Amino acid sequence: MKRLVILLAAAAVLMVACKDKKSTASDIITTDYEAPQPQDPIAMGAKTDRTDVSWVDGQPYTVQVTRSPADSLPMVADVNGQKYIDNVVKVEVLRADNSIFFRRSFTKSSFSEWLDADYRKKGILEGISFQRSEGLTLFFVAWVNYPQSSEDEAVDLQLTVSSLGNVSIQPFTEDDVRDDLKVKDEEEED
């Protein structure tokens, strides 16, 4: 019983203490939030990848893929208004004597058929990468992504170049992904 009386007295004291104290504006800590200010337009660095391959009839070829920022293309902006310069990617296939078998430049609009309106407006062509040669076909992966986002958000497309110089672009199928994983597993075993 004595404990109950002490607890009730303590509760009464706390209630009175809380009632007497009034909150003032100086008790509340606030900070002003400033949204990040856009900087000058951001561009990805230029990059060139060269790969030597054995292709048609076992002949040596060099596949060269060059990504360059292109001021001539429309810029894209993120939610904060930060502008980004889109890229142009040049794919070249050179014969052993360095003569050009195939040369073509790609921009985001080259893949617009496979992009939704949001990627067409806010995405950039992040790159094209050579995958493999198989039979009479060279296989590449092209990806359009939002600037400064992870690769998981990208739209990946398969780009192929035939031995006649014909280009085909299509989305990856589940079989393509399985085949690529199988090829990577075999390469890692070597």
Side-chain angles (χ1 to χ4, degrees), residues 122-140:
K122 299 176 186 173
I124 61 171
L125 175 58
E126 193 161 324
I128 296 175
S129 181
F130 174 69
Q131 287 186 304
R132 68 185 187 279
S133 65
E134 187 176 295
L136 300 177
T137 307
L138 297 174
F139 290 84
F140 300 82

Side-chain angles (χ1 to χ4, degrees), residues 155-168:
V155 174
D156 295 336
L157 299 164
Q158 185 177 68
L159 183 146
T160 59
V161 176
S162 76
S163 61
L164 299 175
N166 297 324
V167 174
S168 172

Side-chain angles (χ1 to χ4, degrees), residues 57-161:
D57 295 330
Q59 297 297 310
Y61 288 82
T62 300
V63 176
Q64 181 168 298
V65 180
T66 305
R67 177 188 70 201
S68 304
D71 291 334
S72 60
L73 295 173
M75 290 189 199
V76 298
D78 65 13
V79 295
N80 296 319
Q82 176 62 57
K83 292 187 177 186
Y84 295 87
I85 298 172
D86 206 345
N87 299 304
V88 62
V89 179
K90 181 170 57 173
V91 175
E92 296 176 293
V93 179
L94 308 170
R95 295 180 187 94
D97 64 359
N98 280 334
S99 63
I100 298 170
F101 167 75
F102 176 84
R103 175 186 282 163
R104 183 164 168 189
S105 293
F106 295 90
T107 63
K108 177 177 60 179
S109 65
S110 304
F111 306 99
S112 63
E113 177 182 350
W114 306 106
L115 303 174
D116 64 22
D118 200 48
Y119 272 99
R120 283 193 295 270
K121 182 178 179 182
K122 299 176 186 173
I124 61 171
L125 175 58
E126 193 161 324
I128 296 175
S129 181
F130 174 69
Q131 287 186 304
R132 68 185 187 279
S133 65
E134 187 176 295
L136 300 177
T137 307
L138 297 174
F139 290 84
F140 300 82
V141 63
W143 62 99
V144 175
N145 203 352
Y146 296 119
Q148 306 289 324
S149 66
S150 71
E151 290 181 15
D152 294 341
E153 298 177 34
V155 174
D156 295 336
L157 299 164
Q158 185 177 68
L159 183 146
T160 59
V161 176

